[in-house]
Amino acid sequence: MTPPAFDPAFAQQFETLLRWRRDVRHFAARSVSEQDMRAVLHAAAFAPSVGNAQPWRFVRVRSLALREQLADHVDAVSADAARAIADATLRARYQTLKLHGIREAPELLAVFSDEHPPAGHGLGRSTMPEMLRYSTVMAIHTLWLAARVRGIGLGWVSILEPGAVAALLDVPADWTLIALLCVGYPAAPADTPELERRDWQAREPIADRIIER
C-alpha cells in the first residue's frame, strides 16, 4: 500500500488547525448533530495506545439532572480553589474567569481510562502502567482535532474531584477519570487562548522548554 503524501499546503493547514484548537468555555446556542458526534468519537479511536490496549471509555452525559449535578460540583470545587488563593488581587481575577460551559454546551463527555483493559495483553505497560492514561489523553487530543476540523470546540474541565464525578456517573471502579469535556460550537472562535486574552498567562516560547544533553 502506498502511503499518502502530505504536501506543503496540507502542512500549513495542519499548523493552522493546531493554532485554532482552543479550550472553549463560551458556547453558541447550536446543537451538534449526531452524525458529527459519531464522527469525532470514531476519529478518537485512531489515536495511538500502548499495546493497542485502547483503554479510553467515553460517557455521553444525556441526563439534564446529572449535568446540573456536575455543574454544581465544579462550581463548589472552583469556589474552594478561589478561597485557597492567598493573593487577594489574583483571587479576584480568578473569580472573574469563566472556567466551564457545562450548563451551556450542547454535549458533555466524561472520558475515563480503563486500568485493566482486556485488549493489549499488558504489552508495554509492565513498568509504566500510567501509559494507559497517556493513551487516553492521546485519544482526547485526536478527538479534539477531529472536532475542530468540523468547527466544533471542546472545553476541558479539570476543577473537580474525579471520585465524585465517577460516583455520579456510576462507572466501574477500575475506570479512572481523565477529562470532563464540554462539546459545542464556540460563541466567538479565536486563535489565542482565552486565558492569554484575559492576561492570566501568556504563552511562553517553546525554545525555553527544550533542552539538550
Side-chain angles (χ1 to χ4, degrees):
M1 180 181 295
T2 303
F6 300 112
D7 60 20
F10 177 88
Q12 181 59 54
Q13 283 189 307
F14 182 68
E15 182 172 336
T16 300
L17 171 62
L18 296 179
R19 289 179 180 277
W20 279 85
R21 181 223 51 80
R22 296 271 59 85
D23 191 298
V24 179
R25 290 91 182 276
H26 305 269
F27 292 92
R30 175 186 174 191
S31 63
V32 176
S33 73
E34 185 63 20
Q35 180 179 357
D36 280 339
M37 281 300 299
R38 290 185 179 277
V40 298
L41 288 166
H42 178 77
F46 289 111
S49 65
V50 61
N52 204 21
Q54 307 153 73
W56 40 79
R57 306 289 182 260
F58 295 97
V59 177
R60 293 180 70 179
V61 180
R62 304 297 192 107
S63 163
L64 294 179
L66 274 177
R67 181 189 285 254
E68 189 60 32
Q69 286 178 288
L70 288 167
D72 288 345
H73 170 71
V74 171
D75 287 344
V77 174
S78 180
D80 289 342
R83 284 190 287 270
I85 299 174
D87 184 283
T89 301
L90 189 62
R91 182 169 62 251
R93 287 177 59 200
Y94 174 92
Q95 292 170 324
T96 67
L97 298 174
K98 181 174 175 58
L99 299 177
H100 71 83
I102 295 174
R103 294 182 176 89
E104 303 87 356
E107 294 281 344
L108 191 61
L109 285 177
V111 188
F112 293 85
S113 192
D114 188 339
E115 301 293 347
H116 302 97
H121 308 292
L123 178 66
R125 60 182 195 263
S126 60
T127 58
M128 292 184 66
E130 64 269 25
M131 287 299 296
L132 289 169
R133 300 180 189 183
Y134 298 160
S135 299
T136 301
V137 171
M138 290 296 294
I140 292 168
H141 191 248
T142 302
L143 182 148
W144 208 325
L145 295 181
R148 187 62 193 87
V149 165
R150 293 166 173 80
I152 300 167
L154 267 66
W156 188 323
V157 183
S158 59
I159 304 174
L160 45 73
E161 294 289 348
V165 174
L168 278 172
L169 298 180
D170 191 25
V171 299
D174 56 355
W175 288 14
T176 298
L177 180 72
I178 303 299
L180 184 63
L181 302 175
C182 301
V183 183
Y185 293 95
D191 65 349
T192 305
E194 180 172 346
L195 292 181
E196 187 171 338
R197 299 196 307 271
R198 298 287 300 275
D199 296 322
W200 180 264
Q201 177 63 56
R203 186 184 300 276
E204 298 187 7
I206 185 61
D208 294 347
R209 282 156 171 72
I210 299 174
I211 63 172
E212 296 184 11
R213 292 284 189 261

